[in-house]
């Protein structure tokens, strides 16, 4: 679902759509979070600034609760909420401006990452991608537009099967694409030249938190000496991890995997992200440039300035 389909939705409508993954992908949920705060102030018709501030805090809390792993959402909220205005009208205006600016910056970052990531793909490459990352796909499309003859192998990405979105998008673009089940990654890795994935969060030690299974893909890539590239905007880098906080891994409902009623005696776990240690990451493509995972700390410090 695109942001322009959210016409008329208020903060709660958008929060629900983020939570049930009608709106998904770390970049898109960040932009949707910014849009939700914008909607909150646009819909506010009171004249008490403290009341508006408290509504904003409540709204931010609600948005943060929807998807706990992707720091992109948290960073988008923090960006929009960093305001100085006094008075209802000034505050409303500033929130609207900052939300629009965040959305703009996010889309600009996507274009830059597509360019930098796309240039690093070479003619004849077979690229494996996991889940559905708008940033990784942007880079793949860029290389195709440059006339490079590439092929993509896309994982199904159980349980939500975001791989179907990837294969639809790439095949409609004309790019040859093959769908595999997640467990076929190691078998297929011998024929792969590069792995391109996205990220929900990048930690200060360069670890990349992305869709469950990414760390297994990374291990297989490492074994076959296939470089793994992560496409991630700088607002996916987590400041909190610098101070020792661990990234919470979202657990979603078991019914996304099977109907638990069919297995009443069985525990069913549905962790939806995992962490790939930096040693399995070749490069991270950000809108500020291509870095090694060791550069994550510097990116975080620059963001603080
Ligand atoms: P972009 C997704 O999360 C996937 O983990 C994907 O790799 C990541 O967000 C980044 O996506 P989910 O919402 O920001 O499907 O690159 O759980 O689009």
């Amino acid at each position: 679902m695109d942001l322009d389909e959210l016409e008329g939705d208020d903060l709660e409508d958008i929060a629900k759509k983020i939570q049930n993954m009608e709106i998904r992908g770390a970049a898109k949920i960040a932009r949707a979070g910014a849009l939700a705060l914008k909607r909150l102030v646009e819909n506010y018709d009171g004249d008490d600034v403290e009341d508006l501030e408290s509504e904003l805090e409540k709204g931010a809390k609600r948005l943060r609760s929807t998807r706990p792993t992707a720091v992109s959402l948290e960073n988008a909220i923090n960006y929009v909420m960093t305001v100085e205005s006094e008075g209802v009208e000034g505050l409303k205006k500033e929130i609207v401006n900052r939300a629009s600016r965040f959305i703009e910056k996010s889309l600009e970052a996507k274009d830059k990452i597509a360019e930098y990531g796309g240039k690093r793909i070479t003619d004849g490459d077979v690229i494996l991608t996991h889940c559905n990352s708008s940033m990784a796909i942007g880079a793949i499309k860029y290389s195709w537009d440059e006339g490079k003859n590439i092929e993509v192998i896309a994982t199904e990405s159980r349980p939500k099967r975001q791989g179907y979105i990837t294969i639809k998008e790439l095949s409609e673009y004309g790019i040859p694409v093959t769908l595999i089940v997640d467990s076929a990654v190691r078998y297929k890795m011998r024929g792969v030249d590069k792995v391109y994935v996205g990220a929900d969060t990048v930690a200060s030690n360069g670890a990349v938190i992305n869709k469950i299974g990414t760390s297994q893909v990374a291990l297989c890539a490492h074994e076959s000496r296939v470089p793994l590239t992560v496409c991630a905007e700088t607002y996916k880098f987590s400041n909190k991890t610098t101070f020792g906080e661990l990234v919470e891994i979202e657990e979603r409902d078991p019914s996304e995997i099977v109907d638990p009623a069919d297995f009443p005696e069985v525990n069913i776990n549905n962790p939806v992200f995992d962490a790939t240690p930096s040693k399995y990451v070749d490069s991270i493509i950000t809108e500020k440039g291509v870095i090694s995972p060791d550069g994550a700390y510097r990116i975080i410090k620059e963001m603080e300035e």
Side-chain angles (χ1 to χ4, degrees):
M1 175 177 272
D2 284 327
L3 256 51
D4 52 20
E5 293 171 60
L6 302 175
E7 195 81 38
D9 280 2
D10 65 12
L11 184 140
E12 182 52 30
D13 297 326
I14 296 174
K16 280 192 187 125
K17 285 178 181 165
I18 295 174
Q19 197 152 24
N20 68 21
M21 292 180 68
E22 275 178 75
I23 305 169
R24 56 147 298 279
K28 199 177 280 177
I29 65 173
R31 293 195 291 271
L35 178 70
L37 291 168
K38 183 175 171 208
R39 289 282 159 79
L40 185 148
V41 294
E42 283 170 347
N43 293 340
Y44 184 78
D45 55 10
D47 56 7
D48 179 347
V49 75
E50 279 175 20
D51 180 49
L52 176 56
E53 280 166 359
S54 127
E55 287 300 310
L56 277 166
E57 283 304 333
K58 263 194 275 169
K61 192 170 171 209
R62 169 72 179 111
L63 289 168
R64 284 188 185 105
S65 72
T66 55
R67 303 281 322 262
T69 301
V71 80
S72 53
L73 176 58
E74 168 82 26
N75 283 344
I77 293 166
N78 293 344
Y79 180 89
V80 176
M81 300 273 284
T82 307
V83 283
E84 287 171 356
S85 289
E86 289 167 13
V88 170
E89 285 317 310
L91 183 55
K92 284 170 87 167
K93 201 167 156 207
E94 208 176 341
I95 294 279
V96 168
N97 286 343
R98 288 190 74 82
S100 304
R101 182 75 196 116
F102 179 85
I103 293 168
E104 225 172 86
K105 275 167 60 132
S106 166
L107 295 171
E108 284 166 10
K110 186 180 173 197
D111 289 344
K112 285 273 173 238
I113 289 170
E115 182 191 338
Y116 304 158
K119 282 188 197 159
R120 289 168 63 89
I121 293 170
T122 44
D123 195 37
D125 272 352
V126 175
I127 300 149
L128 186 139
T129 190
H130 183 53
C131 193
N132 176 257
S133 157
S134 58
M135 297 297 150
I137 286 180
I140 291 168
K141 284 181 174 172
Y142 186 97
S143 74
W144 179 256
D145 289 343
E146 280 190 315
K148 290 169 189 163
N149 191 14
I150 54 164
E151 275 174 55
V152 175
I153 297 176
T155 58
E156 185 182 30
S157 310
R158 281 275 290 156
K160 294 287 273 184
R161 297 185 170 92
Q162 290 95 326
Y164 293 1
I165 307 171
T166 299
I167 57 170
K168 188 166 184 294
E169 198 176 338
L170 292 177
S171 58
E172 281 175 3
Y173 210 70
I175 301 175
V177 58
T178 303
L179 175 71
I180 59 169
V181 293
D182 302 333
S183 44
V185 165
R186 185 162 181 257
Y187 177 74
K188 295 295 282 183
M189 193 57 82
R190 259 175 294 166
V192 172
D193 297 295
K194 292 183 175 89
V195 173
Y196 266 56
V197 292
D200 293 76
T201 293
V202 180
S204 62
N205 65 359
V208 171
I209 294 82
N210 191 47
K211 183 54 53 197
I212 191 78
T214 304
S215 66
Q216 287 177 178
V217 173
L219 272 176
C220 297
H222 183 73
E223 179 191 45
S224 296
R225 293 172 180 254
V226 174
L228 180 135
T229 298
V230 175
C231 298
E233 316 87 291
T234 51
Y235 60 81
K236 289 175 179 164
F237 287 63
S238 168
N239 174 48
K240 290 187 295 188
T241 58
T242 314
F243 306 106
E245 242 183 76
L246 298 174
V247 178
E248 181 184 343
I249 299 294
E250 180 183 1
E251 283 269 347
R252 291 185 65 86
D253 204 278
S255 63
E256 287 183 352
I257 301 178
V258 284
D259 182 354
D262 291 343
F263 304 95
E265 305 301 326
V266 177
N267 285 325
I268 300 160
N269 286 175
N270 186 16
V272 297
F273 299 103
D274 64 20
T276 298
S278 62
K279 67 175 175 179
Y280 301 125
V281 177
D282 183 72
S283 356
I284 305 179
I285 318 266
T286 79
E287 74 278 16
K288 294 194 174 166
V290 182
I291 61 165
S292 95
D294 302 340
Y297 177 79
R298 188 173 49 80
I299 291 280
I300 290 169
K301 289 296 136 194
E302 273 175 24
M303 279 162 65
E304 280 172 6
E305 284 162 12

